[in-house]
Amino acid sequence: LTSVDLQHLQWVDLRYVVIALACVFSYGLLRTGRTQAAVLTLIWCIGLFLLAMAFVVQGVRTPGLIVLPVLCTLAAWLLGLRSALVLGALSVAVISFFALAEPFGYSPPQMPRNTLAYVIVYIVTIVMAIFVAIASTRGFEGELQRSHLLSQNLQQQVQALRASEERFSALFRANPVPSSTNNPDGRIIDVTDAWVAEYGVRREDAIGKTSVEVGIWNDAAERKAVYQELAARGRVDAAPIYLQKPGGTRKPYLLYVA
């Protein structure tokens, strides 16, 4: 140990040990299936290590600090916005400390850095930025493709539903029995051709109105009895009623409501 130059060793050589331990620990978490914890550990270890290095290298002039913006972006993508905001706030706090402390006489260590150190930092930063850009772009393209497929499926379902409604409407209107479809308020939605011929009311004049407004069912007692049965049973089977035909004549019918 007496032959080790501790001043030269300092923290620069220890960084490799710290990063290696963080990678090993994260790998161990990854092998146990704890992917989120592994990513969390690795990103925060790197972030905290870079901030700590600023106190023993060159303060805000520490080359490794350039990695922090990319690391915050990576944290937002892999860990969520909260982790990115916390890491970003911590980075701003440390950098602000140096900016405020230096005018008051604080002088961070001025550990000499060679060209290779700067080159390594810049290459790592560029590689991380490219990785984030590629991964986020692929993720966006994947979500866009899934949204497009979902939109196509919805369009196909809408078209199928529209075709089904058109087939039902055609079959309904061709029904030889005078019939109508009504909403819960009793207003007419559609009528069959036989209904138009039977009561002499045009389809466009009947839609949106009640049978009372159309003028074919004016017996209040009958309507009350039918509504009571519908409320009690949820349907009406063969209820005897009288409806008014063109010319004012009243004709007996059997009413079915389902």
Side-chain angles (χ1 to χ4, degrees), residues 154-189:
L154 290 176
Q155 289 179 355
Q156 293 174 356
Q157 293 177 8
V158 169
Q159 291 174 355
L161 180 60
R162 184 179 293 113
S164 177
E165 290 177 346
E166 291 175 352
R167 288 193 297 269
F168 172 79
S169 179
L171 292 173
F172 171 75
R173 292 185 178 183
N175 184 1
V177 179
S179 307
S180 67
T181 55
N182 301 63
N183 64 17
D185 295 329
R187 297 194 175 276
I188 297 173
I189 299 175

Side-chain angles (χ1 to χ4, degrees), residues 24 27 49 58 79 90 113 123 132 140 162 165 183-184 195 211-213 216 218 220 241 243:
V24 170
Y27 180 72
F49 179 74
Q58 289 181 309
L79 301 178
L90 186 60
R113 313 292 294 173
I123 291 177
V132 172
F140 175 76
R162 184 179 293 113
E165 290 177 346
N183 64 17
W195 188 98
S211 57
V212 177
E213 294 172 343
I216 64 173
N218 298 318
I241 63 172
L243 299 180

